[in-house]
Amino acid sequence: MQVIGAGFGRTGTMSMQAALELLGYRCYHMKEITEHPGHLQAWHELVSGTAPMDWKTLFADFEATVDFPACIYYRELLREFPDAKVILTLRDPDRWFQSFLSLQQVTDRFRVFRFVPRARRFLNFVDLLLPKVFGSPRDRERCMDVFNAHNQAVQENVPADRLLVFRVQEGWEPLCKFLERDVPKGTPFPHLNEGKEALVALARQRLFGPWLRKIPIAVGAAVLTVLLWWWLAK
């Protein structure tokens, strides 16, 4: 592990993942959790306090991490990977909360699929993680207080020479200087769309994986409803 992303989700972490991968790092994002066998269970056990995390095993195939839930454990990761650098992605707190709330609302649309084991396991993890971090994950003032306190704590706890405080609008220059990498020639810094359609696609990917990633919600709902009816009717 060479790069630890300490910024909360919805601070441009998808763009940051894409940028780090363009720089040659294989980067872990929350959407990876359901893509790798055993990862969701390991995170669930850590967050619930039932088992410690074997960080080296979890991140054996990765050189960087961004987004939830790893950002919450940046101090533990620093102890485990003492040579790693830390990037704190920031965003205006009010805009961050609106994006964070929108993702929760989009995820709610998929709760009808809790009978699908993969979706149920991920939703159970979300329902464990968010209250643990925020207390009330839809309370604007509470969430913004947690957001601001986390960003301040990162800047107080991480040595200045190992920390980059970064907004994705700043582009390649400060990021590449911090990581001592050349700026990719002719490659714009990735600014991935985080609007409603992108949130729906992200929620679909997290809950169902590649096989349902591109299926419209209405079509997916119809197919799964038919399958559920058939199974119950047997």
Side-chain angles (χ1 to χ4, degrees):
M1 182 61 59
Q2 300 175 44
V3 181
I4 299 167
F8 276 5
R10 315 315 301 161
T11 60
T13 53
M14 291 182 66
S15 297
M16 178 58 68
Q17 181 190 33
L20 290 171
E21 290 183 342
L22 285 170
L23 293 176
Y25 301 94
R26 187 174 182 196
C27 185
Y28 194 92
H29 185 282
M30 190 173 184
K31 63 185 180 180
E32 305 287 336
I33 288 178
T34 55
E35 301 292 332
H36 302 277
H39 280 217
L40 181 57
Q41 181 65 26
W43 279 112
H44 195 284
E45 291 175 354
L46 174 68
V47 175
S48 65
T50 58
M53 179 67 82
D54 182 345
W55 296 111
K56 286 187 168 63
T57 297
L58 184 80
F59 292 129
D61 297 324
F62 296 88
E63 297 84 34
T65 180
V66 296
D67 201 68
F68 292 119
C71 64
I72 303 301
Y73 296 94
Y74 71 93
R75 282 172 286 195
E76 290 85 347
L77 289 171
L78 271 176
R79 288 195 292 268
E80 191 73 20
F81 305 103
D83 296 325
K85 294 183 176 182
V86 178
I87 299 175
L88 175 64
T89 45
L90 294 182
R91 188 178 186 181
D92 172 76
D94 188 64
R95 295 187 65 183
W96 166 80
F97 176 73
Q98 292 304 318
S99 181
F100 177 56
L101 182 61
S102 294
L103 182 57
Q104 293 183 73
Q105 293 168 340
V106 167
T107 301
D108 285 345
R109 295 168 57 183
F110 290 89
R111 288 184 179 275
V112 66
F113 300 122
R114 289 191 77 103
F115 63 88
V116 179
R118 178 188 177 121
R120 181 172 62 252
R121 288 192 296 269
F122 187 80
L123 289 168
N124 287 345
F125 176 64
V126 169
D127 291 343
L128 173 69
L129 176 68
L130 295 188
K132 183 179 178 69
V133 175
F134 296 100
S136 300
R138 296 177 191 247
D139 182 320
R140 179 181 181 276
E141 296 304 321
R142 171 64 180 164
C143 287
M144 289 175 62
D145 285 346
V146 171
F147 177 75
N148 290 327
H150 172 83
N151 293 336
Q152 182 177 348
V154 171
Q155 295 176 73
E156 292 174 350
N157 292 324
V158 179
D161 61 341
R162 296 175 60 191
L163 175 65
L164 174 66
V165 179
F166 183 72
R167 296 177 184 270
V168 293
Q169 294 86 350
E170 297 176 60
W172 286 120
E173 292 293 340
L175 178 64
C176 291
K177 181 179 180 181
F178 178 67
L179 297 177
E180 300 179 314
R181 297 289 179 103
D182 293 332
V183 174
K185 293 182 179 179
T187 304
F189 189 92
H191 293 286
L192 301 186
N193 177 20
E194 295 192 1
K196 184 177 180 180
E197 290 184 3
L199 293 179
V200 170
L202 179 61
R204 183 186 295 119
Q205 178 180 347
R206 289 175 175 178
L207 292 167
F208 301 107
W211 70 276
L212 197 59
R213 194 173 297 170
K214 295 182 180 181
I215 299 177
I217 292 177
V219 175
V223 170
L224 289 172
T225 299
V226 170
L227 290 174
L228 178 61
W229 173 84
W230 174 82
W231 181 73
L232 292 174
K234 287 195 301 179

